[in-house]
Amino acid sequence: MPTEPEVSLKKLSRIQKNTNQHWVGNGFPVRTLFSYSTLGPMISPFLLFDYAGPMEFSPTEQRHGVGEHPHRGFETVTIVYSGEVEHRDSSGGGGKIGPGDVQWMTAASGLVHEEFHSRDFARRGGLLEMVQLWVNLPAKDKMSPPHYQSILDSQIPVIDLPDNQGKVRVIAGEFDGIAGPARTFTPIDVWDLRLTGNQPIDLAVPDGYNTLLAVLKGSVRVNGSEIIDTAEVGLFERAGDHIRIGSAPDTTALLLCGEPIDEPIAGSGPFVMNTAEEIRQAMTDYQSGKMGKIT
């Protein structure tokens, strides 16, 4: 009888967490679960992961969020689990996203944008829970024109896992031959996992890629040993072509996997480039109005 091919499990190298919460503007209570400033090559092509909420907001007529601010050199990916967010930017992109929706904003050569709770959500109040992921761009693409992708929940493929173990929403990349709608500059998988079972699941991920598992609700046991709890991120070694997840009833997690961009990183606030000189130029360009205005 034919035997199943043996899988090579990526080893879990560390579990990253941050219990300190800070406010972005007056609308987003955030825990930064990982950042390039400390982890650099271990998380490339990803740069930063902010987990906002979950937090209840009272009804208000005030605007809650963060006003105009610039970005250059990377992309922001906002995934909403609860609540609604409105976005506008100087490239003409914008819209409202709610539960299950994704906003993929390519800042690239530079833009100015703002993010607020939607007016309807602010007036009725409720639970806000969302993630914002920063994705790096290779040097050759950092000065590309800005771009905006609004990805609705209805546009994201949902794949059932075997044996009623849960579902996978494919935001970017591929899962089991099914491609997600997000267009990316480098090979990236972003999978929104909704897990419901206790049996181990082997997920195929490319050998040589950086792989991260962020648990937003519940907990998971990886590779039969370590446990990743709520608001923690597991970082895996590059070698290996699978990760094994088990003991994960009623768990929500994001799996991030990408081909590393092994280039220098220079960052300051809202700008991420390759050299300090490029950062200084970004500041000058923003101050002189070259990143545009929101109209």
Side-chain angles (χ1 to χ4, degrees):
M1 294 178 62
T3 58
E4 293 188 8
E6 192 171 328
V7 300
S8 172
L9 295 178
K10 289 181 182 282
K11 293 181 180 178
L12 184 68
S13 61
R14 66 188 291 173
I15 295 174
Q16 186 77 13
K17 62 182 177 179
N18 182 6
T19 58
N20 296 321
Q21 191 174 75
H22 67 277
W23 284 87
V24 176
N26 66 352
F28 304 109
V30 160
R31 283 168 285 179
T32 300
L33 299 188
F34 65 72
S35 170
Y36 69 92
S37 61
T38 55
L39 296 173
M42 292 182 66
I43 60 173
S44 178
F46 308 106
L47 293 167
L48 178 142
F49 188 101
D50 276 348
Y51 180 32
M55 180 176 282
E56 286 280 347
F57 282 83
S58 300
T60 182
E61 291 294 327
Q62 296 180 341
R63 300 195 77 191
H64 282 168
V66 57
E68 294 188 19
H69 59 283
H71 288 299
R72 172 178 280 181
F74 62 99
E75 303 180 290
T76 65
V77 180
T78 305
I79 304 169
V80 177
Y81 289 88
S82 185
E84 288 181 343
V85 179
E86 290 180 339
H87 162 91
R88 293 194 305 155
D89 68 50
S90 57
S91 74
K96 180 171 69 175
I97 55 173
D101 298 339
V102 177
Q103 166 193 290
W104 199 295
M105 187 191 78
T106 303
S109 62
L111 49 65
V112 175
H113 79 145
E114 64 178 24
E115 299 162 290
F116 287 93
H117 298 186
S118 76
R119 295 186 187 277
D120 289 342
F121 174 70
R123 287 171 180 147
R124 67 176 180 265
L127 184 70
L128 179 80
E129 183 180 11
M130 54 175 276
V131 161
Q132 186 167 97
L133 172 70
W134 288 15
V135 179
N136 202 8
L137 293 172
K140 66 181 182 62
D141 296 315
K142 282 186 177 290
M143 294 302 287
S144 299
H147 182 66
Y148 178 83
Q149 300 175 67
S150 179
I151 303 170
L152 301 180
D153 180 37
S154 60
Q155 297 172 303
I156 299 173
V158 181
I159 301 167
D160 290 323
L161 292 168
D163 303 319
N164 296 315
Q165 292 293 302
K167 299 178 183 294
V168 179
R169 299 171 71 238
V170 188
I171 296 169
E174 286 191 5
F175 181 88
D176 201 21
I178 305 297
R183 300 186 299 278
T184 67
F185 283 77
T186 59
I188 291 172
D189 291 313
V190 178
W191 302 339
D192 183 10
L193 308 176
R194 310 296 173 94
L195 306 173
T196 57
N198 284 306
Q199 298 304 311
I201 308 164
D202 284 352
L203 300 177
V205 289
D207 181 52
Y209 281 27
N210 281 327
T211 302
L212 304 91
L213 184 66
V215 176
L216 306 181
K217 177 186 176 185
S219 65
V220 301
R221 186 182 298 277
V222 294
N223 298 345
S225 54
E226 294 94 343
I227 292 176
I228 306 173
D229 276 321
T230 301
E232 294 183 349
V233 181
L235 280 63
F236 293 82
E237 295 180 2
R238 292 185 184 183
D241 54 20
H242 283 76
I243 66 169
R244 181 167 293 157
I245 298 176
S247 302
D250 195 22
T251 293
T252 300
L254 274 173
L255 188 138
L256 311 172
C257 185
E259 182 179 59
I261 301 172
D262 290 325
E263 297 174 347
I265 297 176
S268 179
F271 308 126
V272 182
M273 302 298 289
N274 298 107
T275 67
E277 175 56 36
E278 289 172 330
I279 294 295
R280 288 191 289 270
Q281 187 62 54
M283 293 177 179
T284 299
D285 289 348
Y286 168 59
Q287 292 164 357
S288 64
K290 290 184 179 179
M291 294 186 187
K293 295 180 179 179
I294 298 175
T295 57

